[in-house]
């Protein structure tokens, strides 16, 4: 039997909400791509991450229907888990490239580039109420990140994420990669309130690197 840790990533300030994540700490337990795809589909989380080399931080990320070169929520969750086990990583290595890791109190941060984010559309709406009123998923094709300013001066955004992949994930509760893309497009750090109560924080660095961070908790049994 494969051991799986289940976490909630990008929890709100009260520790609630967050996007469920499956973590397979021993990637050798599921060595082939077909087996990983099947496990990710069976779990049904927006992503499942496999740790293939703990020393180097090599990881493999799967949605229920496809692998991803980069995603924020699995990397933040895995970094937090390894720290909780006394092995805080400095770098994780998904297929897209080397991802730096930082810890700041109860926040876990990972760094990457907007070019690593798989293709998706960000669409601005006039108000948070319009974002809240969208069906899950909205009509159309392709990944949609719907957002509106909740407090533009303070950089607070209301957002919802819709993969629209027909793989059972109607809405993504909290999406680190999309948050990074929106940060790149708007050119400023953001405090994103996504889904049913999740919080995603972002930063920009002068060298074009973007950081995404948040709180992580273990999923209650």
């Amino acid at each position: 039997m494969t051991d799986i840790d289940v976490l909630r990533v990008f929890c709100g300030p009260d520790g609630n909400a967050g996007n469920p994540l499956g973590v397979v700490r021993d990637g050798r337990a599921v060595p082939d791509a077909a087996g990983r795809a099947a496990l990710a589909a069976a779990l049904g989380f927006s992503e499942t991450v496999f740790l293939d080399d703990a020393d180097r931080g090599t990881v493999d990320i799967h949605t229920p229907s496809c692998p991803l070169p980069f995603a924020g929520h699995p990397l933040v969750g895995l970094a937090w888990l390894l720290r909780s086990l006394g092995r805080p990583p400095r770098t994780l290595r998904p297929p897209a490239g080397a991802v730096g890791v930082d810890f700041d109190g109860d926040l876990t941060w990972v760094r990457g580039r907007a070019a690593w984010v798989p293709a998706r559309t960000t669409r601005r709406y006039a108000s948070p109420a319009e974002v809240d009123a969208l069906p899950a998923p909205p009509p159309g094709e392709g990944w949609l990140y719907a957002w509106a300013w909740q407090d533009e001066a303070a950089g607070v955004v209301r957002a919802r994420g819709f993969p629209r992949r027909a793989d059972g994930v109607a809405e993504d509760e909290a999406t680190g990669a999309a948050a990074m893309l929106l940060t790149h497009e708007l050119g400023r750090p953001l405090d994103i309130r996504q889904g049913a109560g999740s919080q995603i924080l972002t930063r920009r660095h002068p060298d074009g690197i973007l950081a995404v961070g948040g709180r992580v908790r273990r999923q209650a049994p």
Side-chain angles (χ1 to χ4, degrees):
M1 179 180 293
T2 304
D3 291 329
I4 301 168
D5 293 279
V6 180
L7 312 176
R8 292 181 292 111
V9 184
F10 298 127
C11 297
D14 57 3
N16 293 322
N19 196 5
L21 170 71
V23 181
V24 180
R25 276 187 271 159
D26 182 7
R28 296 170 299 178
V30 191
D32 61 288
R36 294 183 177 192
L39 178 58
L43 290 174
F45 302 137
S46 60
E47 281 116 17
T48 297
V49 61
F50 300 82
L51 179 60
D52 288 325
D53 187 327
D55 292 333
R56 296 195 70 249
T58 307
V59 302
D60 188 27
I61 302 167
H62 284 257
T63 74
S65 58
C66 63
L68 294 177
F70 173 83
H73 132 264
L75 297 173
V76 168
L78 176 60
W80 177 91
L81 179 62
L82 292 175
R83 185 195 193 193
S84 76
L85 297 171
R87 296 181 289 155
R90 299 181 64 180
T91 305
L92 293 174
R93 303 180 190 279
V99 172
V101 178
D102 298 297
F103 302 97
D104 180 11
D106 67 343
L107 299 177
T108 300
W109 294 85
V110 300
R111 303 189 300 272
R113 298 184 179 277
W116 293 353
V117 177
R120 59 196 61 191
T121 298
T122 61
R123 183 173 300 155
R124 181 179 177 179
Y125 289 77
S127 69
E130 288 192 15
V131 174
D132 291 340
L134 292 171
E141 298 181 357
W143 225 111
L144 174 66
Y145 201 55
W147 71 277
W149 286 115
Q150 184 169 307
D151 183 340
E152 185 172 359
V156 181
V157 166
R158 171 64 178 142
R160 293 173 68 193
F162 306 103
R164 297 195 294 197
R165 288 186 302 250
D167 61 6
V169 181
E171 180 168 354
D172 204 349
E173 170 63 25
T175 316
M180 291 175 64
L181 182 60
L182 185 62
T183 298
H184 173 71
E185 292 175 353
L186 296 178
R188 58 182 293 185
L190 298 173
D191 176 351
I192 299 174
R193 309 303 174 95
Q194 187 175 331
S198 300
Q199 182 181 31
I200 307 169
L201 303 173
T202 67
R203 296 172 175 168
R204 298 174 68 244
H205 295 273
D207 57 0
I209 296 293
L210 302 169
V212 61
R215 303 170 190 84
V216 183
R217 301 288 186 271
R218 287 188 178 272
Q219 175 71 55

